[in-house]
Amino acid sequence: MNTAARMESTSARSRIQVSQVTAELLLASGYSAWIAPRNNKILVKGKGEMQTYWLTTKAANGSKPSKSKSDMTTLEETVESTEHGDHSSGLYADDNFDQGDTDVMTKTERLVEWNVEVLTPLLQQIVASRGGDVVPKDPSLPQKEATIGTGETVLEEFVPIIQLKRFDATELSKRHKAASIDIGEEAKTQLRNYLANVASMYQDNPFHNFEHASHVTASVKKLLTRIVNVDDGNGLSTPSDKIDLVDMAGHSYGITSDPLTQFSVVFSAIIHDMDHPGVPNVQLVKENTRNAQIFKKSVAEQNSVELAWSMLMSEEYGALRACIYHTEADLRRFRQLVVNTVMATDIVDKELQALRKARWETAFAKTPTQDASLSTSDDCKATIVIEHLIQASDVSHTMQHWQIYKSWNEKFFMECYAAYKAGRADSDPSENWYKGEIGFFDFYVIPLAKKLDNCGVF
């Protein structure tokens, strides 16, 4: 009763505010369209800050919101479930668009807006790392943009070890604060337009869609904050006076100190399943599709990189690119990070699997091997951590709350079943789905989680 009374005093005229508990009950019942999180938490005497929600009475078309069994979970709940009690990393926790507009925004528009809010601080951090300059120093950069990534396939650009940029302690200690950097309205508009176009290029699959990409992005963001939660200079975390960026640089094998690396991994999460056809690579090869003829293997992943990169290189995103990279070296590092990170989401290719396993066993082995001098370098370990981070995020629903797992697993089943009914799968997934899921946990999810724990950066 006390909570309800205090919530009433923080509500708005002609609006209904509900608590987290009520919101969770609505979500569990499939009524996610009925609620929208408030921008800011309310302060409740005796309880502290509390996340509350608005009850929405109209859908975008003006009709009453309906129950949706396929949309039982919001992205906010997904992110929050990774760390009980942490409401600061939810989908809308950091947004600054008018909450009153959410009633007329589509789900895709809300997801685009959230991704804008995730990437903007990272762009600020990139610009801050080079002293606040947003004008490229290399006048020949446009010509170099036109030539990079023009090989036969994306996969041929994959490298076992990515060379990250290193920053000395003096440079890190003098780095500008990201919050003081203004990337400019043109760059912000281009970022929003780019993400909207990315969203439009995701197919309407039950599982491999833009909501999944945003879910993976949220998980990448969460895991990166476990590494870079060190000061108010990075674009992902809240301020801390206990540990500074210089101290953390070695601990994270250089991931912490290079904002371009952080941006690249988050960017890769957003674009990693663009134009996914809803069937696995082996089926695309079997059908001999146009993309299969071009890429041969890792078909969906290579196609996603190709589409996202080609669009980013277009003339209309010049201001956005100027924020991302400043020199040819930065451009090439960005490209390499995107290629390696997206390729890591192909967990079926046996050749890539063997390579990752060999590097892990060498780099993090308890007993050094003959190849230890090269493979245990910070660049090698950083590459391995990035790959495992995106892989864990890609299946993060398997490591979260039961309701979240069940919701996403149902979507994946429906996608597989639709492929079977369309004659694009050899077997009925309903015949051994539960056995397959248990095997996936035993042989992939649990070993992956143990590797994340053993790598020592989280």
Side-chain angles (χ1 to χ4, degrees):
M1 184 66 72
N2 288 336
T3 301
R6 286 160 184 157
M7 284 175 59
E8 184 177 7
S9 66
T10 60
S11 191
R13 185 175 181 177
S14 301
R15 303 212 70 175
I16 300 174
Q17 184 179 208
V18 299
S19 66
Q20 179 81 31
V21 174
T22 302
E24 288 175 353
L25 290 172
L26 289 169
L27 290 170
S29 300
Y31 293 98
S32 62
W34 287 41
I35 59 172
R38 292 192 63 168
N39 272 1
N40 302 309
K41 299 175 185 177
I42 65 171
L43 187 62
V44 178
K45 185 178 180 181
K47 294 182 178 291
E49 290 186 336
M50 176 185 292
Q51 176 67 62
T52 58
Y53 300 76
W54 294 122
L55 186 66
T56 59
T57 56
K58 291 184 179 180
N61 60 5
S63 62
K64 182 178 179 181
S66 59
K67 179 178 179 180
S68 172
K69 292 183 179 180
S70 64
D71 184 26
M72 294 176 61
T73 307
T74 65
L75 189 57
E76 179 181 24
E77 184 185 6
T78 300
V79 180
E80 288 179 356
S81 69
T82 63
E83 185 171 356
H84 295 295
D86 178 9
H87 300 284
S88 63
S89 58
L91 173 56
Y92 299 98
D94 298 319
D95 62 44
N96 59 12
F97 58 96
D98 186 357
Q99 185 67 45
D101 291 340
T102 59
D103 287 352
V104 295
M105 294 176 71
T106 66
K107 175 189 285 187
T108 298
E109 289 171 337
R110 293 197 300 270
L111 291 173
V112 166
E113 197 66 31
W114 179 79
N115 281 291
V116 168
E117 296 302 319
V118 170
L119 288 180
T120 299
L122 292 172
L123 288 174
Q124 290 177 297
Q125 180 62 15
I126 292 173
V127 176
S129 71
R130 57 185 188 230
D133 193 358
V134 294
V135 180
K137 295 180 179 179
D138 187 352
S140 65
L141 202 53
Q143 288 75 30
K144 290 163 183 173
E145 288 175 334
T147 59
I148 194 170
T150 56
E152 289 188 10
T153 65
V154 174
L155 188 57
E156 69 183 21
E157 298 178 51
F158 175 87
V159 296
I161 301 175
I162 303 172
Q163 301 297 317
L164 299 186
K165 185 175 181 178
R166 301 297 165 181
F167 299 86
D168 60 42
T170 301
E171 186 176 1
L172 290 174
S173 63
K174 294 181 179 180
R175 181 175 291 180
H176 287 66
K177 298 297 183 182
S180 66
I181 299 297
D182 182 9
I183 65 173
E185 287 303 318
E186 185 179 13
K188 292 177 184 177
T189 299
Q190 290 183 10
L191 174 62
R192 182 173 285 103
N193 291 342
Y194 179 79
L195 290 173
N197 284 328
V198 167
S200 71
M201 295 181 73
Y202 271 85
Q203 295 192 30
D204 190 21
N205 300 313
F207 184 87
H208 290 101
N209 50 42
F210 188 61
E211 185 179 4
H212 164 68
S214 299
H215 179 214
V216 175
T217 302
S219 300
V220 166
K221 178 176 181 282
K222 170 64 73 172
L223 286 174
L224 280 174
T225 58
R226 297 294 182 90
I227 302 175
V228 301
N229 188 19
V230 293
D231 75 339
D232 58 2
N234 68 68
L236 292 165
S237 58
T238 53
S240 171
D241 296 328
K242 297 180 180 179
I243 308 174
D244 64 23
L245 198 58
V246 178
D247 295 332
M248 285 293 291
H251 168 74
S252 66
Y253 312 121
I255 297 173
T256 297
S257 58
D258 185 13
L260 180 57
T261 296
Q262 299 166 35
F263 176 88
S264 301
V265 177
V266 176
F267 175 87
S268 298
I270 295 173
I271 61 102
H272 81 283
D273 274 332
M274 276 179 63
D275 196 37
H276 194 290
V279 295
N281 287 325
V282 64
Q283 182 65 28
L284 298 177
V285 173
K286 180 180 179 180
E287 294 174 0
N288 197 31
T289 65
R290 178 178 178 276
N291 283 338
Q293 294 175 30
I294 296 172
F295 299 120
K296 310 302 181 185
K297 55 191 295 188
S298 300
V299 178
E301 293 79 11
Q302 293 193 73
N303 182 51
S304 296
V305 173
E306 189 75 20
L307 291 174
W309 189 267
S310 297
M311 186 166 64
L312 183 61
M313 291 300 112
S314 64
E315 186 177 350
E316 61 187 294
Y317 300 116
L320 173 58
R321 296 197 302 274
C323 290
I324 299 173
Y325 51 82
H326 220 211
T327 65
E328 181 183 2
D330 287 345
L331 166 63
R332 294 192 178 281
R333 191 165 80 261
F334 174 52
R335 169 74 180 189
Q336 193 63 68
L337 283 160
V338 171
V339 168
N340 268 52
T341 304
V342 176
M343 289 302 103
T345 62
D346 183 358
I347 62 174
V348 177
D349 185 87
K350 293 183 178 180
E351 186 177 344
L352 290 175
Q353 276 185 329
L355 174 62
R356 295 187 195 111
K357 183 178 179 181
R359 278 184 304 157
W360 174 274
E361 292 177 348
T362 302
F364 292 98
K366 294 181 179 180
T367 304
T369 64
Q370 293 180 348
D371 300 327
S373 59
L374 174 63
S375 299
T376 58
S377 69
D378 281 352
D379 283 338
C380 179
K381 289 184 177 180
T383 303
I384 294 171
V385 169
I386 289 169
E387 290 176 347
H388 285 76
L389 185 150
I390 190 69
Q391 288 174 347
S393 298
D394 202 17
V395 297
S396 58
H397 65 283
T398 64
M399 308 178 194
Q400 295 169 349
H401 190 278
W402 167 250
Q403 292 294 338
I404 296 167
Y405 165 74
K406 187 170 70 171
S407 175
W408 282 104
N409 189 253
E410 178 185 358
K411 294 174 183 178
F412 187 44
F413 171 81
M414 295 307 297
E415 184 169 302
C416 294
Y417 190 71
Y420 170 70
K421 295 293 286 185
R424 304 188 73 186
D426 294 332
S427 59
D428 184 346
S430 64
E431 294 179 355
N432 61 354
W433 188 261
Y434 298 113
K435 182 179 179 181
E437 285 299 292
I438 292 172
F440 186 59
F441 270 86
D442 286 342
F443 298 107
Y444 183 76
V445 176
I446 294 174
L448 179 59
K450 289 180 177 178
K451 286 183 177 180
L452 287 175
D453 183 42
N454 293 337
C455 70
V457 301
F458 298 102

